[in-house]
Amino acid sequence: MLERFYITPESTYKFGGNYKVIYTPVVVVKTDDHAHIYLAGRTARALNGDVEPVGDMRGQLRKVCEAIQIALESVGATLADTTRTITYTTDMKAYFAAIDERWKFFKEPLPTSTLIGVACLAMPEMLVEIEVEAIIATERLRLPAKGSAQVVQTSC
């Protein structure tokens, strides 16, 4: 049986570029033997949706990786469970100058990774965005308690 869970963790921002909820931050697809976790692109945003720190690639990379960690932990996964990342940046030179900040979070063995330079992200102050996929054993899956996060379940 295949089950899908659409999760909005409490301890993360919930707004799109227009300060409205326009996506689900975490989707978990659970089978009998594993759970595949998909994170929407995480960006450097405060709980109210504001971008921070503005103009600081290193600071934004740290904030993005912290947001990824929070989202993964909300379902029982860790950064070590990450199998794939896709990174978008508006400034490739600044990204490479600060890449060691990312390595403070993602350790060996590193997940697969794609890096894409873009003209802009959802908000003009954003410098970097990272999407993540992770896989864990079903026994490790921890779904947030009702009331602590929005959880919607569907079965296929």
Side-chain angles (χ1 to χ4, degrees):
M1 171 135 113
L2 181 72
E3 294 178 283
R4 289 189 189 105
F5 300 90
Y6 299 83
I7 301 164
T8 303
E10 273 304 310
S11 54
T12 188
Y13 63 87
K14 300 169 184 63
F15 305 102
N18 61 357
Y19 294 98
K20 298 197 183 307
V21 178
I22 59 173
Y23 61 91
T24 301
V26 181
V27 174
V28 176
V29 178
K30 178 184 164 200
T31 65
D32 292 335
D33 63 348
H34 73 278
H36 199 138
I37 302 157
Y38 301 90
L39 301 187
R42 303 284 73 198
T43 55
R45 299 181 73 188
L47 290 178
N48 69 0
D50 290 344
V51 175
E52 63 178 33
V54 174
D56 177 3
M57 177 64 81
R58 180 173 299 280
Q60 286 198 21
L61 260 174
R62 182 180 323 104
K63 188 91 172 159
V64 167
C65 290
E66 288 168 351
I68 291 167
Q69 189 170 19
I70 288 167
L72 289 171
E73 289 175 355
S74 77
V75 294
T78 69
L79 289 163
D81 298 310
T82 301
T83 58
R84 181 176 191 231
T85 64
I86 303 172
T87 302
Y88 305 90
T89 184
T90 60
D91 187 338
M92 202 66 78
K93 184 177 178 181
Y95 177 81
F96 281 117
I99 195 156
D100 59 304
E101 192 67 36
R102 180 178 169 144
W103 294 332
K104 293 176 184 175
F105 294 88
F106 292 95
K107 308 287 186 191
E108 294 284 341
L110 296 171
T112 64
S113 182
T114 299
L115 176 62
I116 302 169
V118 296
C120 64
L121 293 165
M123 297 172 78
E125 302 87 2
M126 291 178 178
L127 302 174
V128 62
E129 178 173 338
I130 303 176
E131 294 178 21
V132 169
E133 292 181 33
I135 299 176
I136 60 174
T138 301
E139 304 81 55
R140 288 186 45 212
L141 181 60
R142 186 182 76 236
L143 296 171
K146 291 190 191 268
S148 69
Q150 176 188 9
V151 179
V152 177
Q153 177 180 359
T154 64
S155 297
C156 300

